[in-house]
Amino acid sequence: MAENKMKKAVIREDLISITSDFGEAVILNQFIYWSEKVSDTDILIAKENEIAQKNGEEEREPFCGWIYKTADELAEEVMLGLSASQIRKYINNLLNYGYITKRNNPKYKQDRTVQYKVNFVNIEKALKRRRMEEKDINHVVLETEETKGIVFISDAHKKFYYEKLKEVREQDEYHKALVYCLGISNDTRIHINRIYDFKTGCVKPECLHEGWQTSGSAKVVRMAFNLYCNNMPSVSGDDSVEEQIQECKRYTAEELFCCAYAPYFWQAVQIRYPECAVYNHKLYAVLGGQD
Protein backbone atom coordinates (compact mmCIF):
# COMPACT_ATOMS: atom_id res chain seq x y z
CA MET A 1 0.00 0.00 0.00
CA ALA A 2 1.48 3.35 -1.07
CA GLU A 3 2.07 5.89 1.67
CA ASN A 4 0.65 9.38 1.37
CA LYS A 5 3.39 11.96 0.88
CA MET A 6 3.65 14.27 3.88
CA LYS A 7 2.79 17.90 3.13
CA LYS A 8 5.12 20.61 4.38
CA ALA A 9 4.67 24.35 4.76
CA VAL A 10 7.68 26.46 5.70
CA ILE A 11 7.70 29.81 7.54
CA ARG A 12 10.88 31.66 6.58
CA GLU A 13 11.94 34.52 8.83
CA ASP A 14 13.55 36.40 5.93
CA LEU A 15 10.31 36.32 3.92
CA ILE A 16 8.31 37.49 6.93
CA SER A 17 10.65 40.48 7.15
CA ILE A 18 9.70 41.63 3.63
CA THR A 19 5.99 40.82 3.88
CA SER A 20 5.27 41.51 7.58
CA ASP A 21 2.68 38.73 7.55
CA PHE A 22 3.40 35.05 8.11
CA GLY A 23 0.53 34.04 5.79
CA GLU A 24 2.01 35.99 2.89
CA ALA A 25 5.46 34.60 3.73
CA VAL A 26 4.24 30.99 3.69
CA ILE A 27 2.45 31.44 0.36
CA LEU A 28 5.44 33.23 -1.18
CA ASN A 29 7.70 30.40 -0.04
CA GLN A 30 5.29 27.93 -1.64
CA PHE A 31 5.57 29.80 -4.94
CA ILE A 32 9.38 29.72 -4.60
CA TYR A 33 9.24 25.98 -3.92
CA TRP A 34 7.20 25.29 -7.05
CA SER A 35 9.33 27.68 -9.08
CA GLU A 36 12.41 25.63 -8.21
CA LYS A 37 10.52 22.45 -9.13
CA VAL A 38 9.53 23.99 -12.47
CA SER A 39 13.14 25.00 -13.15
CA ASP A 40 14.27 21.41 -12.57
CA THR A 41 11.53 20.20 -14.90
CA ASP A 42 12.57 22.68 -17.61
CA ILE A 43 16.11 21.23 -17.52
CA LEU A 44 14.67 17.76 -18.15
CA ILE A 45 12.38 19.09 -20.89
CA ALA A 46 15.36 20.74 -22.60
CA LYS A 47 17.22 17.41 -22.64
CA GLU A 48 14.14 15.57 -23.91
CA ASN A 49 13.65 18.17 -26.65
CA GLU A 50 17.21 17.64 -27.87
CA ILE A 51 16.45 13.95 -28.33
CA ALA A 52 13.03 14.68 -29.86
CA GLN A 53 14.58 17.12 -32.34
CA LYS A 54 17.10 14.53 -33.50
CA ASN A 55 14.34 11.95 -33.94
CA GLY A 56 11.97 14.37 -35.65
CA GLU A 57 9.46 14.08 -32.82
CA GLU A 58 7.27 16.82 -31.33
CA GLU A 59 9.02 18.91 -28.70
CA ARG A 60 7.53 19.80 -25.32
CA GLU A 61 6.99 23.43 -24.35
CA PRO A 62 9.00 24.44 -21.24
CA PHE A 63 7.32 26.14 -18.29
CA CYS A 64 9.83 29.05 -18.31
CA GLY A 65 9.21 29.66 -14.62
CA TRP A 66 5.40 29.85 -14.85
CA ILE A 67 3.43 27.96 -12.19
CA TYR A 68 -0.12 26.67 -12.58
CA LYS A 69 -1.85 26.95 -9.21
CA THR A 70 -5.41 27.56 -8.05
CA ALA A 71 -6.26 29.25 -4.76
CA ASP A 72 -7.87 26.01 -3.56
CA GLU A 73 -4.68 24.06 -4.26
CA LEU A 74 -2.56 26.60 -2.39
CA ALA A 75 -4.98 26.63 0.55
CA GLU A 76 -4.59 22.86 0.87
CA GLU A 77 -0.80 23.00 0.51
CA VAL A 78 -0.06 25.72 3.08
CA MET A 79 -2.35 24.19 5.75
CA LEU A 80 -3.18 27.52 7.39
CA GLY A 81 -6.92 26.93 7.50
CA LEU A 82 -7.47 29.74 4.99
CA SER A 83 -10.29 29.92 2.47
CA ALA A 84 -9.67 30.32 -1.26
CA SER A 85 -10.76 33.96 -1.05
CA GLN A 86 -8.26 34.63 1.75
CA ILE A 87 -5.51 32.97 -0.31
CA ARG A 88 -6.40 35.21 -3.27
CA LYS A 89 -6.14 38.27 -1.01
CA TYR A 90 -2.64 37.24 0.05
CA ILE A 91 -1.70 36.58 -3.58
CA ASN A 92 -2.90 40.05 -4.57
CA ASN A 93 -0.67 41.53 -1.86
CA LEU A 94 2.32 39.59 -3.23
CA LEU A 95 1.48 40.87 -6.72
CA ASN A 96 1.36 44.45 -5.41
CA TYR A 97 4.75 43.96 -3.74
CA GLY A 98 6.14 42.85 -7.09
CA TYR A 99 7.30 39.49 -5.71
CA ILE A 100 5.22 37.55 -8.24
CA THR A 101 3.56 38.26 -11.60
CA LYS A 102 0.56 36.58 -13.20
CA ARG A 103 -0.92 35.83 -16.60
CA ASN A 104 -3.61 33.76 -18.25
CA ASN A 105 -2.69 30.74 -20.34
CA PRO A 106 -1.32 32.31 -23.56
CA LYS A 107 -1.84 29.13 -25.58
CA TYR A 108 -5.31 28.04 -24.47
CA LYS A 109 -7.64 30.99 -23.95
CA GLN A 110 -10.37 28.77 -22.50
CA ASP A 111 -8.07 27.75 -19.64
CA ARG A 112 -8.97 30.13 -16.81
CA THR A 113 -6.35 28.85 -14.39
CA VAL A 114 -4.08 31.78 -13.55
CA GLN A 115 -0.35 31.24 -13.99
CA TYR A 116 2.20 32.80 -11.64
CA LYS A 117 5.92 33.52 -11.87
CA VAL A 118 8.24 34.43 -9.00
CA ASN A 119 10.23 37.64 -9.44
CA PHE A 120 13.45 36.63 -7.67
CA VAL A 121 15.10 39.94 -8.54
CA ASN A 122 12.50 41.98 -6.63
CA ILE A 123 12.59 39.55 -3.70
CA GLU A 124 16.38 39.80 -3.45
CA LYS A 125 16.19 43.62 -3.69
CA ALA A 126 13.66 43.69 -0.84
CA LEU A 127 15.78 41.34 1.28
CA LYS A 128 18.83 43.48 0.65
CA ARG A 129 16.95 46.63 1.70
CA ARG A 130 15.77 44.87 4.85
CA ARG A 131 19.29 43.73 5.70
CA MET A 132 20.54 47.29 5.29
CA GLU A 133 17.70 48.64 7.47
CA GLU A 134 18.44 46.09 10.18
CA LYS A 135 22.11 46.98 10.04
CA ASP A 136 21.24 50.66 10.45
CA ILE A 137 18.87 49.90 13.33
CA ASN A 138 21.53 47.88 15.12
CA HIS A 139 23.88 50.87 14.98
CA VAL A 140 21.38 53.57 15.82
CA VAL A 141 21.68 55.02 19.30
CA LEU A 142 18.64 56.95 20.35
CA GLU A 143 20.11 58.81 23.30
CA THR A 144 16.85 60.24 24.54
CA GLU A 145 15.42 56.74 24.87
CA GLU A 146 18.59 55.03 26.10
CA THR A 147 19.02 57.51 28.93
CA LYS A 148 15.57 56.61 30.19
CA GLY A 149 16.82 53.09 30.82
CA ILE A 150 14.11 51.24 28.92
CA VAL A 151 14.18 47.53 29.75
CA PHE A 152 13.59 45.08 26.90
CA ILE A 153 12.75 41.40 27.11
CA SER A 154 15.21 40.54 24.30
CA ASP A 155 17.36 42.02 21.55
CA ALA A 156 14.55 41.20 19.10
CA HIS A 157 12.18 43.27 21.24
CA LYS A 158 14.58 46.21 21.28
CA LYS A 159 15.15 46.08 17.52
CA PHE A 160 11.40 45.82 16.89
CA TYR A 161 10.75 48.86 19.09
CA TYR A 162 13.18 51.19 17.34
CA GLU A 163 12.26 49.89 13.89
CA LYS A 164 8.49 50.23 14.25
CA LEU A 165 8.75 53.65 15.89
CA LYS A 166 9.83 54.89 12.47
CA GLU A 167 6.62 53.56 10.91
CA VAL A 168 3.95 54.89 13.29
CA ARG A 169 2.12 58.14 12.57
CA GLU A 170 3.34 59.96 15.69
CA GLN A 171 6.20 59.26 18.08
CA ASP A 172 4.26 60.26 21.17
CA GLU A 173 3.75 58.34 24.41
CA TYR A 174 0.67 56.57 23.04
CA HIS A 175 2.49 55.11 20.05
CA LYS A 176 5.67 54.38 22.00
CA ALA A 177 3.73 52.35 24.59
CA LEU A 178 1.82 50.55 21.84
CA VAL A 179 4.96 49.59 19.91
CA TYR A 180 6.85 48.61 23.05
CA CYS A 181 4.00 46.38 24.21
CA LEU A 182 3.47 44.66 20.87
CA GLY A 183 7.18 43.89 20.71
CA ILE A 184 7.21 41.91 23.97
CA SER A 185 5.95 38.65 22.47
CA ASN A 186 7.38 36.96 19.39
CA ASP A 187 3.82 36.14 18.30
CA THR A 188 2.75 39.79 18.38
CA ARG A 189 5.93 40.88 16.61
CA ILE A 190 5.25 38.44 13.77
CA HIS A 191 1.55 39.37 13.51
CA ILE A 192 1.91 43.12 14.07
CA ASN A 193 -0.04 43.94 10.90
CA ARG A 194 -2.91 41.75 12.08
CA ILE A 195 -3.06 43.84 15.26
CA TYR A 196 -2.42 47.41 14.13
CA ASP A 197 -2.89 49.36 10.89
CA PHE A 198 0.15 51.61 10.42
CA LYS A 199 -1.59 53.62 7.68
CA THR A 200 -4.77 54.52 9.55
CA GLY A 201 -3.39 54.34 13.09
CA CYS A 202 -6.27 52.05 14.13
CA VAL A 203 -6.08 48.86 16.17
CA LYS A 204 -7.71 45.65 14.97
CA PRO A 205 -9.62 44.11 17.91
CA GLU A 206 -10.73 41.16 15.75
CA CYS A 207 -7.15 39.84 15.95
CA LEU A 208 -7.92 38.54 19.45
CA HIS A 209 -10.09 35.84 17.88
CA GLU A 210 -7.49 34.60 15.38
CA GLY A 211 -5.95 31.15 15.64
CA TRP A 212 -2.36 32.28 16.23
CA GLN A 213 -3.20 33.89 19.57
CA THR A 214 -1.99 32.35 22.81
CA SER A 215 -2.97 33.30 26.36
CA GLY A 216 0.27 35.29 26.63
CA SER A 217 -0.03 37.10 23.31
CA ALA A 218 -3.66 37.99 24.09
CA LYS A 219 -2.53 39.66 27.33
CA VAL A 220 0.11 41.61 25.40
CA VAL A 221 -2.46 42.79 22.84
CA ARG A 222 -4.99 43.87 25.48
CA MET A 223 -2.30 45.73 27.43
CA ALA A 224 -1.23 47.52 24.25
CA PHE A 225 -4.82 48.38 23.34
CA ASN A 226 -5.49 49.71 26.83
CA LEU A 227 -2.47 52.03 26.86
CA TYR A 228 -2.97 53.21 23.28
CA CYS A 229 -6.74 53.67 23.22
CA ASN A 230 -7.43 54.47 26.89
CA ASN A 231 -10.28 51.99 26.72
CA MET A 232 -11.16 48.41 25.82
CA PRO A 233 -11.72 48.34 22.02
CA SER A 234 -12.37 44.60 21.95
CA VAL A 235 -15.54 45.02 24.03
CA SER A 236 -18.19 44.91 21.33
CA GLY A 237 -21.72 46.21 21.61
CA ASP A 238 -22.79 43.34 19.35
CA ASP A 239 -21.91 40.81 22.05
CA SER A 240 -24.21 39.79 24.89
CA VAL A 241 -23.95 41.61 28.20
CA GLU A 242 -22.28 38.57 29.76
CA GLU A 243 -19.69 38.43 26.97
CA GLN A 244 -18.97 42.14 27.35
CA ILE A 245 -18.45 41.73 31.11
CA GLN A 246 -16.10 38.80 30.55
CA GLU A 247 -14.05 40.78 28.04
CA CYS A 248 -13.87 43.76 30.42
CA LYS A 249 -12.50 41.46 33.14
CA ARG A 250 -9.67 40.43 30.81
CA TYR A 251 -8.40 44.04 30.99
CA THR A 252 -8.12 44.11 34.79
CA ALA A 253 -4.71 44.52 36.44
CA GLU A 254 -5.00 41.09 38.04
CA GLU A 255 -5.74 39.42 34.71
CA LEU A 256 -3.04 41.23 32.76
CA PHE A 257 -0.21 41.41 35.28
CA CYS A 258 -0.51 37.89 36.63
CA CYS A 259 2.03 36.53 34.13
CA ALA A 260 5.75 36.51 33.31
CA TYR A 261 5.34 39.66 31.18
CA ALA A 262 4.43 41.81 34.21
CA PRO A 263 7.82 43.62 34.50
CA TYR A 264 7.59 44.63 30.85
CA PHE A 265 3.96 45.69 31.18
CA TRP A 266 5.09 47.98 33.99
CA GLN A 267 7.80 49.36 31.69
CA ALA A 268 5.10 50.04 29.08
CA VAL A 269 3.07 51.95 31.69
CA GLN A 270 6.14 54.07 32.47
CA ILE A 271 6.60 54.82 28.77
CA ARG A 272 2.94 55.80 28.43
CA TYR A 273 2.94 57.98 31.58
CA PRO A 274 6.53 59.25 31.96
CA GLU A 275 5.46 62.21 34.08
CA CYS A 276 3.93 59.85 36.65
CA ALA A 277 6.60 57.15 36.60
CA VAL A 278 8.80 58.90 39.18
CA TYR A 279 7.51 60.19 42.47
CA ASN A 280 7.99 63.96 42.70
CA HIS A 281 8.15 65.05 46.35
CA LYS A 282 8.26 68.78 45.54
CA LEU A 283 5.30 68.65 43.18
CA TYR A 284 3.29 66.65 45.70
CA ALA A 285 4.07 69.25 48.39
CA VAL A 286 3.01 72.10 46.08
CA LEU A 287 -0.31 70.36 45.57
CA GLY A 288 -0.81 70.26 49.32
CA GLY A 289 0.12 66.66 49.96
CA GLN A 290 2.20 65.32 52.82
CA ASP A 291 4.49 62.33 52.72
Side-chain angles (χ1 to χ4, degrees), residues 112-233:
R112 303 188 65 181
T113 302
V114 178
Q115 301 176 7
Y116 301 96
K117 189 174 186 177
V118 176
N119 191 323
F120 286 99
V121 173
N122 284 350
I123 291 174
E124 183 54 37
K125 285 181 179 178
L127 288 171
K128 186 176 181 179
R129 284 195 302 271
R130 177 57 66 180
R131 287 193 292 267
M132 293 298 293
E133 290 171 0
E134 290 178 352
K135 185 177 179 181
D136 291 341
I137 290 167
N138 287 334
H139 289 84
V140 167
V141 178
L142 300 181
E143 294 182 358
T144 56
E145 296 297 340
E146 291 293 336
T147 52
K148 293 179 182 178
I150 295 179
V151 178
F152 295 94
I153 195 170
S154 64
D155 289 339
H157 181 199
K158 182 177 181 179
K159 185 165 70 172
F160 176 91
Y161 176 71
Y162 290 126
E163 180 182 23
K164 294 304 177 183
L165 271 185
K166 297 179 180 180
E167 300 181 25
V168 293
R169 294 154 63 92
E170 300 287 343
Q171 291 196 8
D172 55 17
E173 284 74 17
Y174 294 92
H175 289 85
K176 288 178 181 178
L178 173 78
V179 172
Y180 177 89
C181 247
L182 295 180
I184 292 173
S185 163
N186 183 57
D187 289 318
T188 51
R189 290 196 298 270
I190 291 174
H191 298 93
I192 180 64
N193 289 318
R194 311 288 298 176
I195 304 168
Y196 178 73
D197 190 324
F198 284 90
K199 291 183 179 179
T200 64
C202 296
V203 297
K204 301 177 180 180
E206 62 273 13
C207 74
L208 286 165
H209 303 290
E210 295 181 355
W212 58 266
Q213 289 278 12
T214 64
S215 59
S217 67
K219 289 177 185 288
V220 170
V221 170
R222 289 189 175 94
M223 187 71 192
F225 283 177
N226 200 327
L227 293 174
Y228 181 67
C229 303
N230 279 337
N231 58 33
M232 298 169 284

Side-chain angles (χ1 to χ4, degrees), residues 8-9 32 46 48 94 105 133 142 180 194 210-212 223 255 266 290:
K8 297 178 181 178
I32 292 173
E48 291 176 358
L94 295 175
N105 192 323
E133 290 171 0
L142 300 181
Y180 177 89
R194 311 288 298 176
E210 295 181 355
W212 58 266
M223 187 71 192
E255 182 67 27
W266 171 233
Q290 294 182 348

